[in-house]
Amino acid sequence: MKILISDAFDPSLPAKLEVFGEVTDDKDRLAEMDVVLVRSKTKCTREYIDQARNLRLIIRGGVGLDNIDVEYAQSKGIQVFNTAEASAVAVAELALALMISVPTRLVEGHIGMTNREWLKKTLKRTELMGKTLGLIGAGNIGTELARRAIAFGMRVIAYDPLLKNHECVDLVSLEELFVEADYISLHVPLTDSTREMFNTETFAQLKDGVVIINTARGKCISEKDMAEALESGKVRAYATDVWNSDPPDESCPLFDAPNVVMTPHLGASSGENMLRIGDMVVRILEDVAQQTA
Ligand code: NAD
């Protein structure tokens, strides 16, 4: 079996894969490969899949499959897998960090100090305790965040039309969540129903001064409408790890908007998670090898 590691995985992975065959990171050899390992950077479009004439398996180290034309791959007999559960803790911890950075005024305080400004009187703080967190999507990551937010004394509700019940949050309608939530955190895949689900029309239905956290996908939010909602104060702060493009264009309206906390798509990138993803890739290859033996 010939395996192409096309994106950044843990450095220990190539050695772990050698039991399955030849391992390379030479993308020019795509046409000979049986297996391709990708994260977000490689886009497995129709054209890409057509070039990979021997391909039998695509494994995405990560959660979504939106960088892979799954239907086309499957129509060519190529199996597609991801490492769905691996990243939940890493992303939930970042979502919590983004959320708590807002009421603690962590970023402004830090920037003030680097500018030798003592903003003790200017930076008014609030607390997470007693506030309502509304999750949009309560799967693996949403659930890990819910557990952590509950430990911080928050009430957690969630809108997830595909779930009938949940272990630790109250499932509510979208309308109820919009009216109740002080903080909203997105944990949905990017689909037709979630693309730009937050826009000027949606913002109008939210509490004044709501805080929105996005570790899901940048395109779930209209960046232009978000910048306007931040300018008007309708949204108090937007804390985001995800963007319309990676990295965002220079012209991204969020760069100049007030009260934005930004990270460069770090959600899944913890060292521990890279190891978990690698272990899951090995397990998938073992299963596939067993099926075809
Ligand atoms: P998951 O599949 O475990 O959970 C997603 C949940 O969203 C499911 O329970 C599903 O029922 C629900 N859902 C689907 N459509 C919905 C809709 N229209 N409205 C409300 N709920 C809906 O996935 P997960 O592991 O929790 O990951 C969630 C998302 O996080 C991924 O799809 C990916 O886009 C994003 N993600 C980001 C990073 C990062 O680095 N920032 C890393 C991993 C995943």
Side-chain angles (χ1 to χ4, degrees):
M1 178 188 289
K2 290 184 182 176
I3 304 171
L4 171 63
I5 302 185
S6 186
D7 291 335
F9 283 81
D10 189 79
S12 65
L13 188 60
K16 291 178 184 166
L17 298 180
E18 276 165 12
V19 291
F20 299 104
E22 189 191 349
V23 184
T24 179
D25 59 4
D26 182 355
K27 295 178 188 171
D28 291 339
R29 295 181 59 199
L30 175 63
E32 327 160 28
M33 294 296 131
D34 302 292
V35 180
V36 172
L37 308 185
V38 303
R39 291 197 57 224
S40 303
K41 200 165 177 201
T42 302
K43 309 292 176 217
C44 298
T45 58
R46 274 171 178 254
E47 296 70 35
Y48 183 94
I49 291 165
D50 285 341
Q51 285 168 38
R53 291 187 290 277
N54 284 348
L55 201 59
R56 291 189 282 137
L57 181 61
I58 300 172
I59 306 178
R60 158 128 213 275
V63 178
L65 286 170
D66 38 308
N67 56 328
I68 300 170
D69 190 334
V70 177
E71 209 173 306
Y72 189 64
Q74 287 171 344
S75 77
K76 295 267 177 181
I78 299 166
Q79 288 185 281
V80 181
F81 292 92
N82 62 6
T83 58
E85 296 90 33
S87 305
V89 168
V91 183
E93 285 192 6
L94 183 70
L96 183 70
L98 288 169
M99 179 162 69
I100 201 164
S101 75
V102 175
T104 51
R105 312 298 298 266
L106 199 67
V107 176
E108 297 105 311
H110 173 80
I111 292 172
M113 292 304 288
T114 59
N115 292 331
R116 312 293 187 269
E117 287 172 332
W118 187 251
L119 301 176
K120 187 172 169 67
K121 289 214 166 70
T122 326
L123 294 177
K124 302 290 176 224
R125 283 195 47 205
T126 53
E127 297 174 357
L128 291 180
M129 189 153 103
K131 306 297 186 307
T132 298
L133 168 64
L135 303 173
I136 310 290
N140 292 313
I141 299 171
T143 300
E144 289 296 338
L145 177 61
R147 292 191 186 124
R148 285 156 180 75
I150 290 165
F152 274 71
M154 299 185 86
R155 169 186 173 232
V156 186
I157 55 177
Y159 168 67
D160 191 321
L162 303 181
L163 295 182
K164 294 216 162 31
N165 46 55
H166 191 277
E167 64 179 73
C168 62
V169 306
D170 288 335
L171 296 171
V172 297
S173 68
L174 193 56
E175 292 71 26
E176 192 178 339
L177 186 144
F178 283 171
V179 173
E180 296 278 322
D182 304 297
Y183 290 77
I184 293 178
S185 190
L186 275 71
H187 302 288
V188 280
L190 181 65
T191 62
D192 288 344
S193 67
T194 61
R195 189 178 301 275
E196 296 209 351
M197 77 182 285
F198 282 85
N199 53 43
T200 300
E201 214 173 288
T202 333
F203 296 139
Q205 300 169 57
L206 308 182
K207 273 192 185 177
D208 289 342
V210 65
V211 174
I212 300 182
I213 300 105
N214 191 1
T215 54
R217 285 289 178 261
K219 288 180 177 161
C220 293
I221 278 182
S222 159
E223 290 184 344
K224 180 179 148 293
D225 292 1
M226 175 58 86
E228 285 169 13
L230 288 160
E231 285 291 348
S232 73
K234 176 72 201 182
V235 175
R236 174 154 68 101
Y238 179 49
T240 188
D241 184 46
V242 285
W243 304 90
N244 266 349
S245 61
D246 270 11
D249 290 342
E250 269 297 306
S251 61
C252 173
L254 295 172
F255 285 133
D256 295 320
N259 302 320
V260 185
V261 181
M262 309 182 241
T263 50
H265 206 161
L266 295 178
S269 314
S270 70
E272 294 88 338
N273 189 38
M274 296 314 291
L275 282 172
R276 273 194 300 267
I277 287 176
D279 290 346
M280 224 175 251
V281 167
V282 171
R283 276 206 297 279
I284 293 168
L285 282 167
E286 282 169 352
D287 288 349
V288 171
Q290 228 166 29
Q291 282 164 25
T292 50

